[in-house]
Amino acid sequence: MTHESKSAFRFLTPCSPPSLEVVQVTSDESRDSEAFYLDRPCWTPDSKRFVFLRHRSDDKSRPAGMWMCDTEDNFGVFPIHEYSGEDGAHGFALSPDGSCAFHLEALGERVVLRKVTFDGKEEIVCEAPQPATRKGQAQIHTVSADGRRVLMGTFLGDGKTEGAPHGAYVFDVVDGTWWPVEYGNGFRNHHSQYSHSLDPDSIYDILVLGNMEQLSDGSWLTPPDGSWRWQDVPPDDGKGCFHNVLKDDGSDWRAVPVGRDESMVSGGHCTWRGREGSVIFSMYENPKGEWCAPLHEASPVRVSADELQLGRHISDSSYVDLTRNLLRPDSCHFGFDGTGKHFASDVNGYTYAHFSFVYVGTYHSPADQEPYVTIRFLLHPCASWKSQPAHPHPCLSPDGRFVLFQSDFSGRPQINLAFNFDYS
């Protein structure tokens, strides 16, 4: 255990809650520290500990790995699992019950899933063949709510075939088995998320994000080697992505009725609302020539195969604008607590990072109207938005007491916690 924490007074503003406290948890100036992305569990259920990622030090003397912070021990941090180099790991994830972590590692022709306990013990629980190409996504995205299944997003092509699909490997850590799930060529940035529900009918539901498979010139969105295509991309239809839900055996595909509309584009950031069956999305709209980003809520519906990519144009479906009462809604990355009642969000900073701030909100479900949210300003993260670790990515603890966020204000990305605030 090491203690690097210090006051982060710089993130407070005259508009912050008077009681608010902010602590910079990590301060190692030789390497980056970053939070897990919002579609992965990072907090223990009691909200006392969380895990984060540490990169290899600049001089390569200290390895990268998964670390944990103990909020009750003066925010001390310690490594759970480290590895030499940065190319051998497909990713880490914390089990939903907080009892262990999972580490996926590339070893030659195999992908090895290890279960790691916090006393340093490790065991291999499953192995699978290494994907034919590693240029596509290969990382742990999500763990089922019962902690039994671990999903690793990956490219399923052979590196030679046009239109090859993206998808996932699903590992059953109890049986020690695995199987592939195919999504499609347009799912290169799918952000798979297991449902948080413990209901047997939905516990293995996966929320995925998709784009059109072929571009306007007829070429494939993803080249044969699974890499991201950035250069010479022809104009698309301007309608953004779509969202589907399916079982982790590849069956029971459903659609979520949001996006795929030029006036209401899905930005791709979304999450299940607690253990509820609905999903909340950050949207982009331009109602009066002034861009804004409201939060919409919708539930997956069963449709024909022809409607899976229609978004809000799916017949007999509906969504709710949760931010309709706000003067100018703006939400980018966001995450809810365990109950689905409270959330934390940042404001879009891709273009103007210095205008981005972090706020918290409350979900209301009155009997006389559709659900809506209220918000409260929290702090300014002073993040540059120049890389993923330099986005705030605020993450709420399960009990709603802590907001975990990242900032590179000190010169490189570090982990921070905000606490001692209320929601009104």
Side-chain angles (χ1 to χ4, degrees):
M1 175 81 75
T2 60
H3 292 85
E4 308 174 17
S5 63
K6 58 184 179 181
S7 172
F9 182 77
R10 68 177 74 89
F11 299 131
L12 303 179
T13 78
C15 300
S16 299
S19 60
L20 183 67
E21 294 184 59
V22 185
V23 167
Q24 181 177 317
V25 174
T26 61
S27 57
D28 187 339
E29 297 180 357
S30 72
R31 53 180 168 172
D32 294 351
S33 295
E34 65 174 300
F36 276 4
Y37 199 74
L38 297 170
D39 50 23
R40 273 189 269 175
C42 66
W43 284 92
T44 57
D46 59 10
S47 298
K48 295 179 180 180
R49 292 181 169 189
F50 67 88
V51 291
F52 62 95
L53 301 178
R54 256 205 158 141
H55 293 245
R56 185 169 49 180
S57 61
D58 293 339
D59 63 5
K60 301 182 180 181
S61 64
R62 282 169 287 182
M66 181 190 205
W67 285 57
M68 175 168 274
C69 171
D70 189 333
T71 64
E72 295 193 332
D73 189 356
N74 196 29
F75 307 102
V77 297
F78 57 94
I80 295 174
H81 182 85
E82 296 178 297
Y83 54 90
S84 58
E86 300 225 1
D87 295 329
H90 280 317
F92 300 97
L94 182 69
S95 66
D97 65 2
S99 64
C100 67
F102 299 108
H103 174 221
L104 273 166
E105 186 175 10
L107 291 178
E109 298 301 315
R110 299 173 298 150
V111 175
V112 176
L113 176 62
R114 301 177 189 273
K115 180 179 179 180
V116 184
T117 56
F118 304 142
D119 58 3
K121 296 180 181 179
E122 298 184 18
E123 63 173 312
I124 295 177
V125 295
C126 195
E127 298 183 18
Q130 179 69 26
T133 173
R134 294 187 57 200
K135 291 186 178 181
Q137 288 188 334
Q139 56 182 302
I140 291 180
H141 280 274
T142 185
V143 184
S144 60
D146 59 0
R148 176 166 183 155
R149 296 181 182 176
V150 176
L151 181 148
M152 180 188 86
T154 190
F155 183 62
L156 298 175
D158 59 8
K160 302 176 182 179
T161 307
E162 283 286 325
H166 285 269
Y169 284 2
V170 178
F171 299 87
D172 189 312
V173 302
V174 176
D175 293 343
T177 58
W178 75 279
W179 59 90
V181 180
E182 182 177 313
Y183 298 156
N185 186 265
F187 288 84
R188 64 177 186 177
N189 191 30
H190 48 81
H191 285 279
S192 297
Q193 298 180 49
Y194 266 115
S195 167
H196 303 312
S197 173
L198 291 171
D199 186 325
D201 292 334
S202 56
I203 192 170
Y204 298 130
D205 279 353
I206 308 170
L207 172 68
V208 296
L209 177 157
N211 295 92
M212 298 296 100
E213 294 194 341
Q214 288 184 300
L215 300 168
S216 58
D217 65 354
S219 62
W220 290 96
L221 174 69
T222 306
D225 65 0
S227 61
W228 287 72
R229 181 176 176 184
W230 292 110
Q231 302 298 321
D232 303 318
V233 177
D236 60 21
D237 59 11
K239 297 179 181 180
C241 57
F242 58 89
H243 303 270
N244 294 145
V245 172
L246 68 150
K247 299 294 184 185
D248 68 0
D249 61 2
S251 67
D252 196 15
W253 280 75
R254 285 150 280 166
V256 189
V258 295
R260 293 302 298 152
D261 190 288
E262 293 178 353
S263 65
M264 192 66 68
V265 176
S266 172
H269 298 123
C270 58
T271 184
W272 297 95
R273 187 174 72 82
R275 297 195 185 279
E276 304 299 323
S278 63
V279 188
I280 297 182
F281 302 83
S282 174
M283 309 297 296
Y284 296 141
E285 66 173 344
N286 191 27
K288 300 177 181 179
E290 295 289 341
W291 176 92
C292 63
L295 289 176
H296 286 181
E297 182 176 22
S299 296
V301 293
R302 287 182 172 86
V303 297
S304 66
D306 294 337
E307 291 187 293
L308 284 172
Q309 300 180 2
L310 294 184
R312 66 182 297 197
H313 297 289
I314 294 169
S315 59
D316 299 324
S317 60
S318 62
Y319 65 88
V320 177
D321 182 355
L322 298 175
T323 49
R324 63 188 180 277
N325 298 328
L326 302 183
L327 184 61
R328 182 186 176 276
D330 192 343
S331 180
C332 189
H333 309 98
F334 61 96
F336 277 75
D337 65 2
T339 68
K341 180 175 177 59
H342 295 299
F343 69 96
S345 177
D346 58 22
V347 168
N348 189 300
Y350 291 115
T351 304
Y352 299 107
H354 51 285
F355 290 140
S356 178
F357 59 85
V358 173
Y359 62 91
V360 291
T362 303
Y363 181 96
H364 303 273
S365 185
D368 59 345
Q369 62 174 296
E370 292 182 326
Y372 65 94
V373 297
T374 55
I375 64 171
R376 186 179 190 186
F377 176 90
L378 208 60
L379 55 87
H380 195 303
C382 304
S384 73
W385 285 72
K386 293 181 179 179
S387 64
Q388 285 291 327
H391 295 176
H393 288 176
C395 175
L396 207 56
S397 61
D399 63 4
R401 289 191 303 127
F402 293 100
V403 175
L404 167 66
F405 69 97
Q406 49 197 26
S407 173
D408 60 344
F409 181 83
S410 64
R412 64 190 319 149
Q414 303 288 1
I415 302 294
N416 305 273
L417 279 182
F419 52 99
N420 285 346
F421 61 89
D422 56 42
Y423 290 89
S424 59

